[in-house]
Amino acid sequence: LSSPGISAVFLLTGIPGQEDVDLWISVTFCLMYVISIVGNSVILFIIKTDPSLHEPMYIFLSMLAITDLALSIAPMPTTLGIFLFNSREISLDACFAQLFFIHSLSFIESSVLLLMAFDRFVAICNPLRYASILTLPRLRKMGLMFGLRGVSLIFPLPFLLKRFQYCRANVLSHCYCLHQDVIKTACSDIIVNYIYGFFLTVTVVGLDSLFIFLSYVMILKTVLKVTSHAECLRALNTCVSHLCAVLLFYTPRIGLSVIHRFGKDSPPLLSLLLGYISLFVPPLINPIVYSVKNKHLHARIIRVFFK
């Protein structure tokens, strides 16, 4: 632990007790980064260059790919710094900047998943009005609005954190900075940050996941009314990729949020594992799932790379 006094830096943590295999962990992370960046870039390239994919569902998918790209890059410098060079120190300002990007991009991804649920809801429950509801100008406005929501809600956090002095043990529990992790090291009254963080979790992650759940309740009600079993399965099959993305995104984040607030006696490794899964797995798996499950996208990728 650091010496007593006011901290000018934070110390990031890799995987405690696994220092002897840091090189292999760094190789794993490098592979994950390469697959994430290449996978999401390929999806963006295919959607941009193929006019037949300029439809609402694929425009939302490109928004997800852009967010996943940014979300995988935000923790990359500190993660690789720890495992490749054992560089654990991060200045307060750099830490606050990193947590701003990680949290705002997480909220933007939550919004994109909600928009994708809305797309599936309209496509299945109101197909005749699909083209008139999800017009290109409306898609742009929705994307911009939810992007601004993610940035504006997180914008106060670095300034709230800069007010504090950090005189407790300055060792963070992850290889990147998170708000709920940083405030534990403050020696000031953190009640405002605690309430604001809880408010953000409930209003963004809570409401987005609730609306996604309600969308699927309505979709299920509509699909169960369809008499043809084949049509029913076909409609549900269009939702599988999105459901995978939703589960990958929300499950570890909700678990991590619960542990940070209520799980004082939970194993530290569990929090660490959920943290890594929440940030690194969705950008890695989402392009793979969509490339495999979406027939149109799958066919275009094969046509481009295996002519």
Side-chain angles (χ1 to χ4, degrees):
L1 298 181
S2 62
S3 58
I6 305 303
S7 300
V9 295
F10 291 119
L11 295 179
L12 300 165
T13 304
I15 301 177
Q18 304 298 318
E19 289 79 8
D20 53 331
V21 289
D22 271 359
L23 181 61
W24 296 110
I25 294 171
S26 67
V27 169
T28 305
F29 274 111
C30 285
L31 280 173
M32 287 170 69
Y33 278 131
V34 168
I35 295 167
S36 299
I37 290 167
V38 170
N40 287 294
S41 300
V42 165
I43 283 180
L44 285 171
F45 173 76
I46 297 292
I47 292 172
K48 182 174 173 57
T49 55
D50 193 331
S52 69
L53 298 180
H54 294 178
E55 296 175 3
M57 182 173 78
Y58 296 103
I59 290 169
F60 287 137
L61 179 55
S62 64
M63 289 181 190
L64 183 68
I66 291 168
T67 312
D68 276 340
L69 266 176
L71 198 54
S72 61
I73 290 168
M76 187 192 292
T78 52
T79 304
L80 295 183
I82 284 179
F83 293 116
L84 284 174
F85 310 110
N86 196 30
S87 173
R88 295 180 61 203
E89 285 192 1
I90 183 170
S91 69
L92 269 61
D93 287 339
C95 186
F96 299 156
Q98 187 182 51
L99 70 83
F100 167 76
F101 284 112
I102 287 174
H103 287 298
S104 58
L105 287 165
S106 296
F107 282 2
I108 291 169
E109 178 141 347
S110 179
S111 303
V112 173
L113 290 171
L114 176 60
L115 289 174
M116 294 174 90
F118 179 65
D119 169 77
R120 292 298 83 212
F121 166 73
V122 177
I124 292 170
C125 300
N126 205 347
L128 297 178
R129 295 191 59 206
Y130 182 77
S132 62
I133 292 172
L134 293 172
T135 60
L136 199 58
R138 194 168 284 163
L139 296 182
R140 289 198 189 108
K141 285 176 186 172
M142 287 193 294
L144 182 62
M145 183 182 73
F146 279 112
L148 288 173
R149 181 187 77 154
V151 171
S152 59
L153 286 174
I154 297 298
F155 191 72
L157 282 188
F159 300 101
L160 288 171
L161 290 168
K162 278 180 79 72
R163 300 177 306 133
F164 298 143
Q165 288 185 330
Y166 299 90
C167 56
R168 294 180 185 163
N170 64 339
V171 181
L172 304 181
S173 57
H174 299 282
C175 61
Y176 47 84
C177 295
L178 293 175
H179 173 253
Q180 57 267 39
D181 210 10
V182 169
I183 58 170
K184 289 178 182 176
T185 68
C187 48
S188 318
D189 182 10
I190 60 168
I191 189 67
V192 173
N193 284 60
Y194 186 86
I195 291 170
Y196 189 60
F198 184 73
F199 164 78
L200 291 180
T201 304
V202 171
T203 53
V204 178
V205 178
L207 285 179
D208 286 358
S209 53
L210 175 64
F211 285 131
I212 289 170
F213 174 74
L214 292 175
S215 297
Y216 275 103
V217 169
M218 299 298 289
I219 287 169
L220 205 57
K221 282 176 70 176
T222 303
V223 166
L224 290 175
K225 291 176 185 174
V226 177
T227 51
S228 167
H229 184 64
E231 286 291 323
C232 179
L233 286 176
R234 192 178 299 127
L236 287 174
N237 196 46
T238 64
C239 303
V240 170
S241 301
H242 179 252
L243 276 171
C244 287
V246 167
L247 290 172
L248 278 172
F249 180 81
Y250 285 108
T251 308
R253 274 176 172 77
I254 291 170
L256 195 60
S257 185
V258 169
I259 286 171
H260 272 295
R261 282 171 177 80
F262 310 111
K264 305 293 182 191
D265 301 320
S266 63
L269 200 61
L270 178 63
S271 170
L272 201 66
L273 187 63
L274 285 174
Y276 285 137
I277 290 170
S278 67
L279 265 194
F280 301 120
V281 173
L284 174 74
I285 300 297
N286 284 343
I288 297 171
V289 170
Y290 274 95
S291 301
V292 171
K293 287 298 296 178
N294 189 296
K295 289 180 181 178
H296 297 292
L297 198 61
H298 186 71
R300 299 299 187 279
I301 290 170
I302 287 174
R303 188 196 301 170
V304 168
F305 289 100
F306 302 103
K307 281 180 182 178

